[in-house]
Amino acid sequence: MALNISVLHRCILVLGCLLYSHSSQALEERSTDNTWHVVDVRSLFPSSVCSSSIEKDSNRLTITHRHGPCSPRPTNYKPTDVEILKHDQDRVNTIHRLVTSARKNTIGESLSVSLPAKSGIPYGTGNYRNFVVQIGIGTPRKDFIVEIDTGSDLSWIQCKPCKTCYNQTDPLFDPNLSTTFSSVPCSSTDCTKLDIRSCSKGKCQYVIVYEDMSRTHGLFVRDTLTLGRTDTLPNFMFGCGISNAGTFGKIDGLIGLGRNRVSLISQASSKYGAMFSYCFPSRSSYTGYLSIGKNTVSNVNFTSMVQKPDTPLDYYVNLTALKVGGQLLKISATVFAAGTVLDSGTDITRLPPTAYIKLRDRFRQLMKRYPSAPHLPPLDTCYDFTKHQRVQVPTISFVFSDGTTLDVNSTGLFYVSKLSQVCLAFAGNSHDSYLGIIGNIQQKTLQVIYDIANKKIGFGSGGCK
């Protein structure tokens, strides 16, 4: 009888190992109570080979990591962790300054610098880890690689004849070679859609100066924009930059996904509807997508898109609570009173310090089986996974005022420097009065849908790898 029990035990153990081995081939495996991820540590690192599972559609653009193997213009340059995180913090600092300034202007407080409240507000671009897409401009079509940014409205690319241009991989756009190109006259009502504008020889001009002193200046123009393979948007208005400098890397420009009058979404709404969606890939060796217009999706939970006309940002959500390991943290909803914005250009999620400390402490408590690693500022919760093939990680969820819950995918929990330094990809603001930001790392693999017409934002799982 003892022998039979021993054999039975061995069989159970073998079966358990086989099942666990099978689950580790997937990126994650959740327990039935939705409190844990089981992660194969190898899945935290990208491959050197591109693996694309996104099919091209007429108005769907392929999203790639700027420096990954799937990039249409791959380079050998790899930014350091210090560069990435410093640039990310610079963007966050700028967002906080601009929001604070705009709110002070609204309530009549005096400021040394007056900032407009909407279109063209530049709070930083060129993030080393940002996502890019390929678009077509002009007739015949010329392809360009541009960064996507939900925090910007005006789209722009570098153009000939360029007085001052930074180096980019593609040839500059030459308006003389496009049969559908035209300048926007100063007398046009379209010129007034720019908050910061000037005129030269009857032609409308734009100027954007970013907080890090990067800048773009040139003509406000129209030409045909091609999305995906064949879908076109005639008379698309954008900036044709002839004087540009700064930390833009080698991208050709930017596509603005804000809500104001000159953004791509506003200009395309009559054709596609006031809606767009995207999915950021989990690793730089995968691809995601940006879809303009209605998207047929399922299993999506929507929450309200909060209106805050006193700030230069568009996509606010009403975050009121957090869960770690399935447990609701004891945080007063008033801690989040400064607001929370969904931003494609910020990497690391920033929370009010009161909320972040609660989240961090609970996460550390549940992760105490793993050895800690040195901090990677501003990230202060890091682990050494060198002796582990798989790790068990607590789930993290955002809870909104209407009860909608956003469960962060396992790939959205960590910033991975190396196997011996894997850090929780959340950080605290310096004060609870500063705006919270849900960054793009926490949005990985999710279908994120911006239904502007109905003022709601949706989140669905399994949008891309």
Side-chain angles (χ1 to χ4, degrees):
M1 186 70 176
L3 178 62
N4 291 337
I5 293 174
S6 178
V7 171
L8 178 61
H9 283 175
R10 285 199 298 271
C11 289
I12 291 172
L13 286 172
V14 169
L15 178 60
C17 289
L18 287 172
L19 290 173
Y20 196 78
S21 175
H22 176 74
S23 71
S24 71
Q25 294 173 12
L27 187 62
E28 67 171 74
E29 179 76 20
R30 291 194 180 191
S31 64
T32 55
D33 59 2
N34 203 31
T35 59
W36 297 98
H37 299 287
V38 177
V39 180
D40 185 339
V41 296
R42 294 169 298 180
S43 70
L44 298 173
F45 296 89
S47 168
S48 59
V49 179
C50 177
S51 176
S52 176
S53 61
I54 302 300
E55 295 183 3
K56 292 184 178 179
D57 201 352
S58 59
N59 60 336
R60 176 178 280 197
L61 305 176
T62 300
I63 287 179
T64 62
H65 285 262
R66 181 181 299 188
H67 298 289
C70 295
S71 172
R73 308 290 187 273
T75 66
N76 293 325
Y77 173 70
K78 301 297 181 184
T80 66
D81 295 316
V82 172
E83 289 175 319
I84 292 170
L85 294 171
K86 180 183 182 303
H87 198 96
D88 197 52
Q89 188 61 51
D90 288 344
R91 180 181 176 94
V92 170
N93 292 342
T94 303
I95 290 174
H96 288 160
R97 283 195 295 270
L98 288 171
V99 170
T100 300
S101 296
R103 286 172 174 170
K104 286 182 178 179
N105 277 336
T106 301
I107 62 177
E109 293 186 21
S110 61
L111 291 171
S112 58
V113 178
S114 179
L115 295 168
K118 293 302 293 180
S119 175
I121 291 293
Y123 56 84
T125 184
N127 196 323
Y128 293 111
R129 291 173 61 92
N130 269 2
F131 300 98
V132 296
V133 296
Q134 182 173 276
I135 60 170
I137 295 287
T139 308
R141 166 182 178 161
K142 298 295 182 183
D143 287 335
F144 298 94
I145 305 303
V146 293
E147 179 184 318
I148 62 174
D149 189 5
T150 55
S152 297
D153 291 309
L154 179 65
S155 303
W156 60 268
I157 58 173
Q158 294 196 113
C159 297
K160 289 184 175 180
C162 198
K163 297 179 181 178
T164 305
C165 277
Y166 59 87
N167 291 330
Q168 65 179 50
T169 303
D170 295 309
L172 300 178
F173 176 64
D174 189 345
N176 293 323
L177 300 181
S178 175
T179 60
T180 48
F181 177 88
S182 64
S183 299
V184 175
C186 277
S187 57
S188 169
T189 55
D190 287 331
C191 187
T192 64
K193 294 177 180 179
L194 295 172
D195 282 337
I196 304 175
R197 60 188 182 274
S198 62
C199 289
S200 176
K201 298 180 181 180
K203 297 179 179 180
C204 186
Q205 293 189 326
Y206 78 97
V207 60
I208 298 177
V209 180
Y210 294 92
E211 276 284 310
D212 63 359
M213 300 313 295
S214 299
R215 68 180 188 280
T216 176
H217 168 250
L219 295 176
F220 190 42
V221 301
R222 300 186 185 96
D223 209 333
T224 298
L225 171 68
T226 303
L227 302 170
R229 289 176 293 181
T230 59
D231 222 22
T232 59
L233 189 66
N235 297 312
F236 176 66
M237 295 183 294
F238 63 98
C240 203
I242 58 174
S243 179
N244 320 287
T247 58
F248 301 114
K250 291 193 175 184
I251 59 168
D252 305 330
L254 178 145
I255 282 288
L257 299 177
R259 287 190 296 167
N260 208 40
R261 295 172 294 178
V262 297
S263 74
L264 168 60
I265 305 308
S266 294
Q267 293 188 59
S269 62
S270 60
K271 182 175 183 177
Y272 300 113
M275 178 184 290
F276 71 97
S277 60
Y278 57 66
C279 181
F280 295 144
S282 61
R283 296 191 276 177
S284 62
S285 52
Y286 294 149
T287 61
Y289 67 83
L290 168 65
S291 182
I292 309 301
K294 293 183 178 180
N295 194 355
T296 303
V297 293
S298 58
N299 300 321
V300 176
N301 296 317
F302 283 93
T303 190
S304 297
M305 183 186 297
V306 180
Q307 305 295 297
K308 287 184 177 288
D310 60 335
T311 82
L313 306 178
D314 289 319
Y315 301 118
Y316 280 87
V317 288
N318 196 4
L319 178 67
T320 55
L322 299 166
K323 289 182 179 180
V324 178
Q327 176 182 315
L328 191 67
L329 301 181
K330 294 181 180 180
I331 306 171
S332 171
T334 59
V335 170
F336 303 96
T340 305
V341 70
L342 200 65
D343 184 37
S344 66
T346 300
D347 288 333
I348 307 299
T349 286
R350 299 320 201 276
L351 296 170
T354 299
Y356 171 68
I357 291 171
K358 292 276 189 179
L359 178 143
R360 180 198 65 190
D361 290 352
R362 178 59 177 163
F363 190 86
R364 286 178 177 177
Q365 182 183 24
L366 296 174
M367 289 284 289
K368 60 185 178 181
R369 77 189 71 179
Y370 303 108
S372 61
H375 296 175
L376 189 61
L379 308 178
D380 64 2
T381 302
C382 304
Y383 297 93
D384 182 351
F385 291 156
T386 53
K387 295 183 179 180
H388 298 272
Q389 292 183 346
R390 301 171 194 87
V391 291
Q392 190 174 12
V393 182
T395 59
I396 293 181
S397 304
F398 300 103
V399 182
F400 304 105
S401 60
D402 54 9
T404 300
T405 299
L406 167 57
D407 298 322
V408 179
N409 185 273
S410 64
T411 59
L413 296 179
F414 293 116
Y415 178 96
V416 183
S417 172
K418 49 192 173 185
L419 191 56
S420 60
Q421 194 176 37
V422 179
C423 303
L424 178 65
F426 291 75
N429 287 328
S430 57
H431 195 275
D432 284 349
S433 62
Y434 285 143
L435 179 75
I437 304 170
I438 298 178
N440 60 53
I441 289 180
Q442 282 66 40
Q443 300 176 51
K444 286 180 178 180
T445 76
L446 298 172
Q447 302 174 83
V448 184
I449 302 171
Y450 295 76
D451 185 348
I452 298 169
N454 294 305
K455 298 181 175 59
K456 58 184 182 179
I457 298 177
F459 305 97
S461 61
C464 58
K465 290 173 65 178

